């Protein structure tokens, strides 16, 4: 893996702090940039606009991820031979980019803490599809952890009816449905990646490169066909400062992925899960403070239950066994 080669340049005693700070800093800033871009107001007065170009945003992110993965392979991973079928990469990229587009689009309808907490439910579709498609068996602890996560999300999403019926009184609106779609596609992506690792021993850098290349191809066709590209370029011409944030957004995404791979290689998925779970909690906290996103007492209880479930899952919920392929 490219991450392991890059990690070899770091003294052993500093690897864990470097991995922790790398993942934390990159994705912490990534979250702030994502909310700034997608929920920010552009212009003044009656001329204010919002960012509505999720396809273009994800397109740029995929281009930067692909370039970064290519550099990692060029400098650190030239020995590995990739035998994975192209059609598998193409299929994986469809669910991968669909999940990202849905997740970014959801921010037009829900605040960032809701989006982060919703995406924290990724273990649920991955587990369900693992059981039904890959025929995996999970320990009882896994199901209990998922129950905690589901309960926490239900508490967070529950909105008691006020005096008059309004759009905000419904538990599921457009934003929540987009998050549900994103989670389903995350599950399909996980199944595709498991298949590639099991049958082709696909390396992380090659997977990152090819999935992002196919995603770039599909998204490029999409933004041209829908005309979004020209609308986005016009928007960027009116508000050129957004390009700086979008480039930083893509770079933090690519760097964050490389630190995650390094953490998995040297310290295993348990340590990586603990780091990413901690990061998500502090990202929600930062969003509440920096962007004044209100969270009720019940929502805080739900948030704590979700992260408790994620933490216990990282500690006790591993060890799924494949019975067949």
């Amino acid at each position: 893996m490219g991450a392991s080669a890059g990690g070899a340049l770091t003294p052993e005693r500093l690897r864990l702090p470097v991995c922790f700070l790398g993942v934390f800093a990159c994705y912490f800033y990534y979250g702030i940039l994502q909310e700034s871009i997608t929920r920010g107001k552009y212009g003044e007065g009656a001329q204010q606009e919002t960012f509505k170009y999720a396809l273009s945003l994800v397109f740029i992110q995929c281009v930067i991820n692909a370039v970064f993965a290519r550099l990692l392979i060029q400098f650190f991973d030239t020995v590995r031979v990739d035998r994975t079928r192209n059609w598998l990469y193409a299929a994986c990229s469809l669910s991968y980019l669909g999940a990202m587009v849905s997740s970014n689009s959801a921010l037009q309808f829900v605040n960032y803490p809701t989006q982060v907490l919703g995406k924290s439910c990724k273990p649920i579709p991955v587990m369900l599809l693992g059981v039904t498609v890959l025929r995996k068996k999970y320990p009882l602890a896994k199901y209990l952890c998922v129950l905690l996560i589901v309960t926490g999300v239900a508490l967070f999403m529950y909105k008691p009816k006020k005096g008059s019926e309004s759009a905000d009184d419904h538990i599921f609106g457009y934003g929540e449905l987009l998050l549900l779609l994103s989670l389903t596609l995350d599950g399909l992506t996980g199944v595709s990646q498991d298949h590639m690792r099991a049958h082709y021993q696909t390396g992380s850098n090659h997977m990152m490169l090819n999935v992002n290349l196919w995603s770039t191809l599909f998204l490029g066709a999409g933004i041209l066909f829908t005309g979004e590209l020209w609308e986005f370029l016009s928007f960027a011409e009116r508000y050129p400062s957004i390009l700086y944030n979008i480039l930083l957004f893509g770079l933090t995404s690519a760097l964050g992925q490389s630190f995650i791979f390094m953490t998995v290689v040297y310290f295993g998925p348990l340590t990586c899960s603990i780091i990413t779970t901690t990061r998500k909690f502090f990202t929600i906290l930062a969003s509440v403070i920096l962007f004044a996103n209100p969270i009720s007492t019940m929502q805080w209880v739900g948030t704590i239950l979700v992260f408790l479930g994620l933490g216990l899952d990282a500690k006790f919920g591993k060890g799924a066994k494949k019975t067949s392929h």
Side-chain angles (χ1 to χ4, degrees):
M1 278 189 188
S4 60
L9 302 176
T10 307
E12 189 173 347
R13 70 180 185 280
L14 296 178
R15 281 178 189 162
L16 183 57
V18 166
C19 288
F20 177 83
L21 291 173
V23 171
F24 195 92
C26 287
Y27 281 108
F28 188 82
Y29 194 34
Y30 170 92
I32 292 173
L33 288 167
Q34 187 180 37
E35 185 160 16
S36 297
I37 293 166
T38 56
R39 293 182 64 82
K41 301 294 183 183
Y42 302 88
E44 297 179 357
Q47 302 299 318
Q48 274 194 344
E49 299 180 68
T50 56
F51 186 87
K52 301 176 181 178
Y53 312 103
L55 289 179
S56 300
L57 179 64
V58 177
F59 174 78
I60 295 171
Q61 183 180 357
C62 289
V63 169
I64 294 174
N65 283 346
V67 170
F68 195 82
R70 177 71 256 181
L71 290 173
L72 287 176
I73 292 171
Q74 182 68 34
F75 291 105
F76 303 121
D77 208 9
T78 53
V79 176
R80 181 186 290 273
V81 177
D82 184 29
R83 297 184 175 87
T84 310
R85 303 290 179 85
N86 272 321
W87 70 266
L88 279 172
Y89 283 132
C92 184
S93 73
L94 285 173
S95 57
Y96 166 77
L97 68 88
M100 286 201 296
V101 170
S102 301
S103 177
N104 280 289
S105 298
L107 284 170
Q108 296 177 30
F109 306 99
V110 299
N111 60 28
Y112 193 70
T114 301
Q115 192 246 34
V116 172
L117 202 70
K119 292 292 285 184
S120 296
C121 298
K122 190 184 293 187
I124 298 172
V126 171
M127 188 183 76
L128 289 175
L129 287 169
V131 170
T132 57
V133 178
L134 299 179
R135 299 182 183 178
K136 288 185 176 181
K137 290 184 177 179
Y138 293 94
L140 177 61
K142 186 78 170 179
Y143 294 97
L144 294 176
C145 292
V146 167
L147 179 61
L148 270 179
I149 294 170
V150 171
T151 303
V153 171
L155 287 174
F156 190 91
M157 296 294 189
Y158 176 70
K159 298 173 185 175
K161 290 186 177 181
K162 299 171 185 176
S164 60
E165 185 85 7
S166 70
D168 288 338
D169 292 331
H170 298 289
I171 295 177
F172 274 91
Y174 290 119
E176 287 80 6
L177 289 174
L178 284 168
L179 285 176
L180 185 61
L181 173 61
S182 180
L183 286 170
T184 303
L185 293 170
D186 276 331
L188 291 172
T189 302
V191 168
S192 300
Q193 290 173 334
D194 272 347
H195 181 81
M196 284 188 273
R197 290 191 188 102
H199 291 81
Y200 299 98
Q201 290 75 52
T202 310
S204 59
N205 292 329
H206 285 94
M207 186 182 293
M208 182 178 174
L209 171 65
N210 288 284
V211 169
N212 280 287
L213 282 177
W214 277 102
S215 298
T216 299
L217 179 65
F218 290 137
L219 282 170
I223 60 178
L224 284 172
F225 180 76
T226 61
E228 182 180 307
L229 174 62
W230 317 118
E231 294 177 13
F232 167 73
L233 291 175
S234 176
F235 185 90
E237 186 178 3
R238 293 194 299 275
Y239 310 105
S241 61
I242 196 174
L243 293 175
Y244 176 74
N245 281 343
I246 289 175
L247 288 175
L248 280 179
F249 173 76
L251 286 172
T252 52
S253 169
L255 281 170
Q257 284 190 27
S258 70
F259 279 114
I260 281 179
F261 291 145
M262 189 189 299
T263 305
V264 171
V265 167
Y266 283 107
F267 304 103
L270 171 58
T271 301
C272 186
S273 296
I274 292 170
I275 291 174
T276 54
T277 300
T278 305
R279 190 276 307 173
K280 286 176 182 176
F281 183 82
F282 281 99
T283 298
I284 287 180
L285 189 61
S287 179
V288 171
I289 295 171
L290 297 177
F291 296 96
N293 287 313
I295 291 187
S296 66
T297 302
M298 182 181 291
Q299 287 178 314
W300 274 120
V301 172
T303 301
I304 291 169
L305 285 178
V306 168
F307 287 105
L308 178 62
L310 289 171
L312 292 174
D313 177 59
K315 180 84 175 162
F316 304 109
K318 305 300 178 184
K321 299 176 182 178
K322 294 180 185 178
T323 57
S324 65
H325 290 294

